[in-house]
Structure formats: C-alpha cells, structure tokens
Amino acid sequence: MNVEHHDLHHDFPDMADQIRELKMNDRHFARLFDEYHELDKEVRKIEEDTTPASDDTLDALRLKRVHLKDDLYAMLKEA
C-alpha cells in the first residue's frame, strides 16, 4: 500500500525556516510538533498494516492529526 506522507516539512516546504525557528524558540509549538509527528507515525503504521486497528480508531487518529496540523499551520502563519 502506498501511504502518503503528512509531515510538516513535506506539506509546507515554503515554511521550513518558520518551522525550524518555532521548534527552537517556542515550547508550545515544539510540543505540538512532536505530538503531531508521533501521531502521524502511528497513523502510517496502521495504514501500512503493521499495526492493527479498527476503522473507527484510524478515523479518530486522522481527525486528531488534522486538528493538530491546523493548529501548527496557524502558528506558522503568525510567525
């Protein structure tokens, strides 16, 4: 199965400098960034069939990932 990458650097390549700056200087952003990437890793494992999970669980994780990405993007736009 071909699993799409959803990491921030891939989705927002034009914001690489802001991502790096906020990761280093904003603890809240850094915490959300780490949480987002751990969640993304978990979703990918399920999508790749390495970790079993119900469809409801996968949908809930995807929704949480979207909300985190929205929050991170809002912070990036403000930076």
Side-chain angles (χ1 to χ4, degrees), residues 39-56:
L39 185 59
D40 186 51
K41 189 185 315 180
E42 187 176 346
V43 169
R44 279 191 318 225
K45 285 180 181 178
I46 295 169
E47 291 174 339
E48 293 168 348
D49 292 328
T50 8
T51 302
S54 70
D55 288 343
D56 290 339

Side-chain angles (χ1 to χ4, degrees), residues 39-40 42-43 46 53 55-67:
L39 185 59
D40 186 51
E42 187 176 346
V43 169
I46 295 169
D55 288 343
D56 290 339
T57 299
L58 180 57
D59 288 343
L61 291 172
R62 285 177 175 159
L63 185 60
K64 184 175 180 181
R65 180 177 66 182
V66 166
H67 289 298

Side-chain angles (χ1 to χ4, degrees), residues 2-76:
N2 190 12
V3 176
E4 195 173 324
H5 291 278
H6 289 277
D7 63 279
L8 293 181
H9 292 286
H10 184 263
D11 286 346
F12 309 125
D14 56 324
M15 297 181 151
D17 292 338
Q18 292 99 318
I19 292 170
R20 186 174 23 262
E21 179 72 24
L22 286 173
K23 278 176 49 180
M24 291 176 17
N25 298 313
D26 185 323
R27 286 181 186 219
H28 180 63
F29 181 89
R31 184 183 60 76
L32 290 180
F33 181 89
D34 291 342
E35 184 179 343
Y36 176 84
H37 282 279
E38 287 302 313
L39 185 59
D40 186 51
K41 189 185 315 180
E42 187 176 346
V43 169
R44 279 191 318 225
K45 285 180 181 178
I46 295 169
E47 291 174 339
E48 293 168 348
D49 292 328
T50 8
T51 302
S54 70
D55 288 343
D56 290 339
T57 299
L58 180 57
D59 288 343
L61 291 172
R62 285 177 175 159
L63 185 60
K64 184 175 180 181
R65 180 177 66 182
V66 166
H67 289 298
L68 274 172
K69 184 182 278 188
D70 287 346
D71 292 345
L72 290 163
Y73 181 70
M75 294 173 79
L76 286 166

